[in-house]
Amino acid sequence: MRKALQLKRGWDQQIVFLGPCLLFFLTIVVTPFFLGFYYSSTDWNGLDLDKAVWTGAANWKRIFLNDDKFWESLLFTLRFTVVSVVAANALALLLAFLLMTTLKTKKVLRTIFFMPNVIGGILLGYIWQFIFTKGFATIGELTGISFFQLPWLGTPGTGFWGLVIVFVWQTAGYMMVIYIAALAGIPKDLIEAARIDGARAPQLFRSVYVPLIMPAITICLFLTTSNAFKMFDLNLSLTKGGPGTSTQSLAYNIYAEALINNRYGLGTAKALLFFVAVSLITVTQVWITKRKEVSA
């Protein structure tokens, strides 16, 4: 009897502490998510619930058969993700190795490199928009260097690389901190033993450092991949998907469909496809890198 009372008291305490959080989670996350399945099959402007007309599979047919801009945005997002993930992690790992040395200013430099991650994406985008359009133009006029005279954000090519530069600049500092923590946990005697055995820098990096920091690589690849694929705020503040729709990310395409074109049902259908795509890509990436951890 006493055990039953203790068990009941334990359940009561869990309900008291977890109940409000669970209620908010169900209300804010779970319920809208499942409602999205319904709205994805309707023609709705997002404002009047009584005007949500059931259309069945019409939105899905339109996406797969008559929406070239959606697939162009998907290809742009995939290309942006691959380039940004590789560049951000390579730069972060390089900075981590440099700042693990005996530099007197390494603490200050770590703080400086981490600071862009603290700035919000919208604000950061407008700052870099000013840099690209005004700062670079002024430097180009004074120095005559062609790099600064490029029409940044004005063409599809330079707009793409402008987004990559800002994303990598914002992301690399945070990934650097994770890599520094992983490198700090490597036993120094293991590194010294490898050097005594004649391992050079490339061999040391490939055979010692990479296997031992593979958990950090898994985390950083997951974060950068998901963030790059979901990139919206930089796209909105830097290029607004332009010129035309040449630099429109998938997230911005969904935003424009639902909130600018007032086709909320179609936008919800695209958002569900977006959710599936992000889930498949990130789960596959984690599965691959986790296998490397086990084999290491």
Side-chain angles (χ1 to χ4, degrees), residues 1 9 59 64 91-92 106 112 155 159 174 177 190 215 218 242 244 248:
M1 185 67 180
R9 185 179 300 173
N59 288 332
F64 285 101
L91 179 60
K106 64 181 181 181
I112 292 172
T155 67
Y174 185 76
V177 173
L190 185 63
T218 299
Q248 188 178 82

Coordinates of all heavy atoms in Angstrom, one line a residue, residues 1 9 59 64 91-92 106 112 155 159 174 177 190 215 218 242 244 248:
M1 N 0.8 -1.2 0.0 CA 0.0 0.0 0.0 C 0.9 1.3 0.0 O 0.6 2.2 -0.7 CB -0.9 0.0 1.2 CG -1.9 1.1 1.3 SD -3.1 1.0 0.0 CE -4.1 2.5 0.3
R9 N 2.2 9.4 -5.7 CA 2.8 10.7 -5.4 C 3.8 11.1 -6.5 O 3.9 12.3 -6.9 CB 3.4 10.7 -4.0 CG 3.9 12.0 -3.5 CD 4.5 11.9 -2.1 NE 3.4 11.5 -1.2 CZ 3.6 11.1 0.1 NH1 4.9 11.2 0.6 NH2 2.7 10.7 0.8
N59 N -2.7 20.7 -54.6 CA -1.5 21.4 -54.3 C -0.2 20.5 -54.6 O 0.8 21.0 -55.1 CB -1.5 21.8 -52.8 CG -2.4 22.9 -52.5 OD1 -2.7 23.7 -53.4 ND2 -3.0 22.9 -51.3
F64 N 4.6 19.2 -58.0 CA 5.4 18.2 -58.7 C 5.4 18.4 -60.2 O 6.3 18.0 -60.9 CB 5.0 16.8 -58.3 CG 5.5 16.3 -57.0 CD1 4.6 16.4 -55.9 CD2 6.8 15.9 -56.8 CE1 5.0 16.0 -54.7 CE2 7.2 15.5 -55.5 CZ 6.4 15.5 -54.5
L91 N 36.9 26.1 -42.5 CA 37.4 27.3 -41.8 C 37.4 27.1 -40.3 O 38.4 27.5 -39.6 CB 36.6 28.5 -42.2 CG 37.0 29.8 -41.6 CD1 38.4 30.2 -41.9 CD2 36.0 30.9 -42.1
A92 N 36.3 26.6 -39.8 CA 36.2 26.4 -38.3 C 37.4 25.5 -37.8 O 38.0 25.7 -36.7 CB 34.9 25.8 -37.9
K106 N 45.1 34.4 -28.1 CA 44.1 33.4 -28.6 C 42.7 33.5 -27.9 O 41.7 33.3 -28.5 CB 44.7 32.0 -28.4 CG 44.9 31.5 -26.9 CD 45.5 30.1 -26.9 CE 45.7 29.7 -25.4 NZ 46.2 28.3 -25.4
I112 N 36.4 37.1 -30.7 CA 36.1 37.8 -31.9 C 35.5 37.0 -33.0 O 34.5 37.3 -33.6 CB 37.4 38.5 -32.4 CG1 37.9 39.6 -31.5 CG2 37.2 39.1 -33.8 CD1 39.3 40.2 -31.8
T155 N 24.0 40.0 -59.3 CA 23.9 39.0 -60.3 C 23.7 37.6 -59.6 O 24.0 37.5 -58.4 CB 25.2 38.9 -61.2 OG1 26.3 38.4 -60.3 CG2 25.5 40.2 -61.8
G159 N 25.6 37.0 -56.1 CA 24.6 36.9 -55.0 C 24.7 35.6 -54.3 O 24.6 35.5 -53.0
Y174 N 31.2 29.6 -34.2 CA 30.5 28.6 -33.3 C 31.0 27.2 -33.5 O 31.3 26.5 -32.5 CB 29.0 28.7 -33.6 CG 28.2 27.8 -32.6 CD1 28.0 28.3 -31.3 CD2 27.6 26.6 -33.0 CE1 27.2 27.5 -30.4 CE2 26.9 25.9 -32.1 CZ 26.7 26.3 -30.8 OH 26.0 25.6 -29.9
V177 N 34.4 26.7 -31.8 CA 34.4 26.4 -30.3 C 34.2 25.0 -30.1 O 34.8 24.4 -29.2 CB 33.3 27.3 -29.7 CG1 33.1 26.9 -28.2 CG2 33.6 28.8 -29.8
L190 N 49.5 10.8 -26.8 CA 49.2 10.1 -28.1 C 49.7 10.8 -29.3 O 50.3 10.2 -30.2 CB 47.7 9.9 -28.2 CG 47.1 9.1 -29.4 CD1 47.6 7.7 -29.3 CD2 45.6 9.1 -29.4
P215 N 33.2 12.7 -33.2 CA 31.9 13.1 -32.5 C 31.6 14.6 -32.7 O 30.5 15.0 -33.0 CB 32.1 12.8 -31.1 CG 33.1 11.6 -31.1 CD 34.0 11.9 -32.2
T218 N 30.6 15.1 -36.3 CA 29.2 14.8 -36.5 C 28.2 15.9 -36.1 O 27.3 16.3 -36.8 CB 28.8 13.5 -35.6 OG1 29.7 12.4 -36.1 CG2 27.4 13.1 -35.8
G242 N 16.6 37.6 -55.1 CA 16.9 38.2 -56.4 C 18.4 38.1 -56.8 O 19.2 37.5 -56.0
G244 N 15.5 38.5 -59.6 CA 14.4 37.6 -60.0 C 14.2 36.6 -58.8 O 14.0 37.0 -57.7
Q248 N 16.9 32.4 -54.6 CA 15.8 32.2 -53.7 C 15.9 30.8 -53.0 O 15.9 29.8 -53.7 CB 14.4 32.2 -54.4 CG 13.2 32.1 -53.5 CD 11.9 32.2 -54.2 OE1 11.4 31.2 -54.8 NE2 11.3 33.4 -54.3

